[in-house]
């Protein structure tokens, strides 16, 4: 299967991005290893805060529909442990090393919540040539086999809304995913 990366500029509004940054101000950071990275066969924490979003929002359904229209996995749904995560990198941050999201879902999504100029670094980077990185309010959507990383954040703070979308019936983290939200 060809690795597919889709970018959409201005996928959300400034008001929506502000809502999610404000949500993070009031949310409690998730201290667990729920969002971690495998390094050398060992699960390790990532140099960032993250906030789990356990309630559905209409934006998530909008994302799901775009995924179903552009990727051919069948019915796409949501993970049972969280609908989304808000990733919060504070400078100086190492970012996130190269990896694939193979066990998290079939399609991954990152929406940039930080205004251009409010941070330096923190770009989503894929190991496929020609990937256009979306700016503020933009979305990048990619299949689980895309090797990618987040560059180190050298100034300011970078927020992203991240979703890992499984297809109905996919096993994720040792559990079969049932339809969760329509």
């Amino acid at each position: 299967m060809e690795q597919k990366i889709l970018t959409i500029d201005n996928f959300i509004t400034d008001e929506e991005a502000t809502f999610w940054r404000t949500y993070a101000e009031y949310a409690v950071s998730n201290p667990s290893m729920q969002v971690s990275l495998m390094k050398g066969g060992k699960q390790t924490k990532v140099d960032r805060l993250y906030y789990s979003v356990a309630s559905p929002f209409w934006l998530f359904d909008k994302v799901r529909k775009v995924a179903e229209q552009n990727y051919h996995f069948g019915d796409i749904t949501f993970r049972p442990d969280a609908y989304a995560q808000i990733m919060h990198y504070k400078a100086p941050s190492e970012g996130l090393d190269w990896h694939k999201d193979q066990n998290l879902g079939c399609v991954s999504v990152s929406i940039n919540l930080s205004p251009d100029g409010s941070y330096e670094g923190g770009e989503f980077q894929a190991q496929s040539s020609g990937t256009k990185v979306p700016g503020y309010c933009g979305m990048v959507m990619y299949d689980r086999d895309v090797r990618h990383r987040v560059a180190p954040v050298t100034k300011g703070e970078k927020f992203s809304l991240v979703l890992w979308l499984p297809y109905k019936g996919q096993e994720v983290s040792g559990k079969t995913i049932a339809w969760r939200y329509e």
Side-chain angles (χ1 to χ4, degrees), residues 9 13 84 120 152:
D9 291 325
T13 66
E120 289 179 9

Side-chain angles (χ1 to χ4, degrees), residues 27-44:
V28 175
S29 175
N30 185 337
S32 76
M33 295 291 278
Q34 180 182 13
V35 179
S36 58
L37 189 64
M38 292 297 288
K39 277 186 170 178
K42 184 178 178 183
Q43 194 173 11
T44 60

Side-chain angles (χ1 to χ4, degrees), residues 61-88:
D61 198 46
K62 178 180 172 185
V63 169
R64 181 187 62 82
K65 288 176 182 175
V66 171
E68 284 183 343
Q69 290 170 357
N70 289 279
Y71 296 83
H72 304 288
F73 290 103
D75 292 333
I76 292 178
T77 187
F78 299 92
R79 292 179 53 95
D81 51 357
Y83 282 92
Q85 307 284 343
I86 300 171
M87 303 301 175
H88 182 188

Side-chain angles (χ1 to χ4, degrees), residues 17-52:
T18 300
F19 167 81
W20 289 109
R21 288 193 316 273
T22 303
Y23 182 101
E25 287 178 26
Y26 292 97
V28 175
S29 175
N30 185 337
S32 76
M33 295 291 278
Q34 180 182 13
V35 179
S36 58
L37 189 64
M38 292 297 288
K39 277 186 170 178
K42 184 178 178 183
Q43 194 173 11
T44 60
K45 286 198 175 220
V46 177
D47 183 21
R48 65 179 174 212
L49 298 171
Y50 70 94
Y51 313 93
S52 298

